[in-house]
Amino acid sequence: MTIKSKFTKEIAKIVRAGLRLTRHNATALPGYVAYKLDKNILDELSKNTKFVFVTGTNGKTMTTHFLANILRQHYDKVYTNESGSNMVQGIITTLLDNPKREETIAVLEVDEANLVRIGRNIKPDYVIFTNIFRDQMDRFGEIYNIFNKLMQGMEVMPNAKIIANGDLPIFSYDQMDKYNKSYFAIRDKREEKDDYILEADANSDGILCPHCNHILKYKLNNYSSLGDFACTSCDFSSPEITYKLDKIKKLEANYSSFYVGDEFYEVNVGGLYNVYNALAALSVAKELGLSYEEIYEGLASQKNVFGRQENIKIYDKNVTINLVKNPTGLNQIIDLMLLEKEPISLICLLNDNYADGTDVSWIYDSYYENLSNLTIKDIYVSGMRKKDMKRRLEIAEIFDGEIKEFDYENEIKKVIKDTKTDNIYILSTYTAMLRLREVLDL
């Protein structure tokens, strides 16, 4: 390590220590300072380390935590970027303590737009592609732009093996052919039709055949555009699946179990989308040669993290925090909420900072209307775009009473205390959730 890199590393550690001492978030700023001082710091911090990158629209953080927890059953030191801090600065912060003379492994959540930049400095062994959906239209544009960013990233690290979601049509496009890859997929035969006769939801992304532009059909449609797909007008179809989930045994609000072949697995999180995340992590663990026992224990002992069905107790009330950022992800969370049997209080926080996406029109592509199946006793809205959020919920007609606006940075504890139920769901965009956690001392 050069003198410049050593100096940069120590300065970044001092910044991190100061932030922690003052009880501030220390996931990004230390790395930001380090990168400003030394543009090559990532190359220095990553020596003697095996890397797995996790990228895609939804599921990056949970997949990263699943895989890191599995790897801890086998490896002495596993590094991962905390709290989903997946820009360059967050990854630098993660690696500040990486010993330069020990063999270690790191699982890094990497923002889709930063895959090229990170890949120029770190050459991973594996890259997980979770999925691609419309997200932050002002920043990414349509899903094909996101896919192109992933392909541009792979161009600078062509020796990495891709572990991709085989249920998503875009990951079977011709551009993937030149890379070494394996696919994972959910194929519960109990839900499968005899032929490709199903259609994806009309609001789904990427359901046109890339060869002839006909609408894809499905033999099995798990949600959105995910499933066993084929074009009935040409030969485009689902790829060969290496890691296949054969049967979902149970799906509950805070628990899921499933079979991969004859192997039984369980996770203490709910939602079909989290089953996909667990399957992605499982696939890489198998690639790395971990045992069934290690994978099972890693999945079974993983808890909800950082705004992903995160459950906390405040004033003896059960508060569930969920990050929302695009229609597909929000719709999956809504489906999970529909498993709730008790009355709820709903709090929605909507910001439009750069990290959230400045275009909030996506809330109109989400099925808030389905929440009418729940017993909702009160609704509160806050954030920079609280009036937009209030209007969207009024249009959804899920609540007969007044939807109340409030200042979450100063009033969230009072609102939680005053809610009419002890069962509170908070749906929050990214920057609002970061501030919320600070206010609640999480």
Side-chain angles (χ1 to χ4, degrees):
M1 183 174 283
T2 65
I3 293 176
K4 180 180 180 181
S5 295
K6 289 181 180 178
F7 172 76
T8 298
K9 185 176 179 180
E10 292 307 312
I11 291 296
K13 285 185 174 182
I14 291 171
V15 172
R16 184 181 63 183
L19 289 169
R20 288 176 176 173
L21 188 64
T22 55
R23 302 187 70 185
H24 285 84
N25 191 320
T27 60
L29 184 58
Y32 174 81
V33 172
Y35 188 71
K36 285 294 185 181
L37 294 173
D38 183 359
K39 292 294 190 292
N40 296 315
I41 188 66
L42 260 179
D43 186 51
E44 293 291 341
L45 293 174
S46 62
K47 291 178 178 178
N48 302 316
T49 303
K50 182 177 290 187
F51 285 93
V52 180
F53 288 176
V54 183
T55 192
T57 304
N58 293 338
K60 293 188 294 290
T61 297
M62 203 66 215
T63 300
T64 298
H65 279 268
F66 272 135
L67 182 55
N69 206 45
I70 292 171
L71 295 177
R72 290 188 186 103
Q73 316 305 313
H74 184 85
Y75 293 92
D76 291 333
K77 290 186 178 179
V78 179
Y79 291 94
T80 186
N81 38 341
E82 300 175 7
S83 305
S85 185
N86 58 51
M87 304 292 191
V88 173
Q89 55 267 31
I91 292 172
I92 292 173
T93 301
T94 297
L95 297 174
L96 286 176
D97 294 320
N98 196 12
K100 60 183 179 180
R101 292 188 178 88
E102 289 185 41
E103 295 293 330
T104 59
I105 189 165
V107 185
L108 299 180
E109 177 179 340
V110 180
D111 182 85
E112 306 91 291
N114 280 320
L115 194 60
V116 169
R117 187 184 301 178
I118 303 298
R120 288 196 181 109
N121 293 281
I122 299 174
K123 302 305 177 187
D125 297 86
Y126 297 95
V127 181
I128 299 176
F129 287 179
T130 61
N131 49 57
I132 295 177
F133 298 115
R134 277 175 292 158
D135 183 50
Q136 297 185 38
M137 295 288 286
D138 57 295
R139 181 172 170 230
F140 289 122
E142 282 292 348
I143 62 169
Y144 309 103
N145 295 328
I146 303 175
F147 180 66
N148 288 336
K149 289 181 184 296
L150 297 188
M151 292 298 94
Q152 290 164 12
M154 291 307 303
E155 288 177 6
V156 302
M157 44 187 183
N159 295 323
K161 183 172 183 178
I162 298 172
I163 307 297
N165 189 334
D167 282 341
L168 195 73
I170 202 168
F171 290 151
S172 290
Y173 283 13
D174 294 342
Q175 294 94 313
M176 296 277 288
D177 289 348
K178 63 181 178 180
Y179 299 108
N180 182 18
K181 58 190 177 299
S182 288
Y183 289 99
F184 61 90
I186 296 177
R187 299 292 171 80
D188 192 328
K189 291 190 177 299
R190 297 171 303 173
E191 305 296 327
E192 196 173 86
K193 302 297 183 183
D194 293 331
D195 203 355
Y196 293 93
I197 58 174
L198 299 175
E199 294 186 356
D201 183 90
N203 202 30
S204 298
D205 305 311
I207 56 174
L208 290 181
C209 174
H211 295 165
C212 66
N213 286 325
H214 281 79
I215 296 176
L216 299 175
K217 301 288 187 176
Y218 288 78
K219 183 182 291 186
L220 171 69
N221 182 222
N222 293 316
Y223 69 85
S224 187
S225 55
L226 293 170
D228 185 354
F229 58 86
C231 178
T232 56
S233 299
C234 71
D235 61 354
F236 181 74
S237 63
S238 293
E240 181 179 350
I241 304 301
T242 304
Y243 303 104
K244 182 168 60 175
L245 189 156
D246 299 282
K247 178 182 178 182
I248 294 176
K249 183 178 181 182
K250 190 171 290 187
L251 277 178
E252 298 178 348
N254 293 295
Y255 175 83
S256 307
S257 61
F258 54 88
Y259 284 92
V260 176
D262 294 329
E263 296 177 349
F264 173 76
Y265 295 96
E266 55 187 342
V267 293
N268 291 307
V269 293
L272 189 58
Y273 61 98
N274 273 321
V275 174
Y276 270 108
N277 297 335
L279 182 60
L282 177 154
S283 302
V284 174
K286 284 186 173 290
E287 290 275 335
L288 291 167
L290 272 69
S291 68
Y292 165 70
E293 291 76 16
E294 289 169 330
I295 299 172
Y296 175 88
E297 180 59 31
L299 290 177
S301 60
Q302 177 61 55
K303 306 296 184 183
N304 291 320
V305 295
F306 192 72
R308 278 75 176 179
Q309 294 173 238
E310 186 176 12
N311 300 111
I312 57 176
K313 283 285 186 182
I314 302 177
Y315 301 122
D316 289 326
K317 297 190 176 189
N318 183 52
V319 181
T320 301
I321 303 174
N322 273 305
L323 171 68
V324 296
K325 60 174 186 168
N326 55 53
T328 301
L330 175 55
N331 289 339
Q332 282 296 293
I333 289 170
I334 289 173
D335 284 348
L336 191 61
M337 290 174 64
L338 295 180
L339 297 174
E340 181 63 61
K341 298 294 190 288
E342 300 297 322
I344 72 164
S345 297
L346 179 63
I347 299 174
C348 294
L349 311 180
L350 181 64
N351 276 359
D352 63 351
N353 289 309
Y354 177 74
D356 306 295
T358 57
D359 178 1
V360 299
S361 63
W362 62 270
I363 62 176
Y364 285 91
D365 293 324
S366 303
Y367 300 142
Y368 285 102
E369 283 77 7
N370 290 347
L371 291 173
S372 62
N373 294 311
L374 293 175
T375 302
I376 302 176
K377 293 296 186 181
D378 44 359
I379 299 179
Y380 293 84
V381 295
S382 189
M384 300 163 65
R385 302 294 291 269
K386 60 186 176 184
K387 293 188 182 300
D388 297 87
M389 190 72 254
K390 180 178 181 180
R391 182 58 182 152
R392 175 66 184 95
L393 295 176
E394 288 173 341
I395 291 172
E397 297 182 343
I398 60 175
F399 181 60
D400 292 333
E402 178 189 2
I403 297 175
K404 299 177 181 178
E405 299 179 21
F406 75 107
D407 176 3
Y408 77 95
E409 294 190 59
N410 296 301
E411 300 175 341
I412 185 63
K413 290 183 178 179
K414 181 180 184 302
V415 165
I416 290 174
K417 188 176 183 179
D418 292 344
T419 54
K420 295 179 180 178
T421 79
D422 294 335
N423 201 14
I424 303 167
Y425 280 85
I426 300 179
L427 305 181
S428 174
T429 52
Y430 184 69
T431 62
M433 185 181 67
L434 291 180
R435 180 58 182 149
L436 175 71
R437 292 174 61 83
E438 291 180 359
V439 172
L440 295 177
D441 295 322
L442 299 178

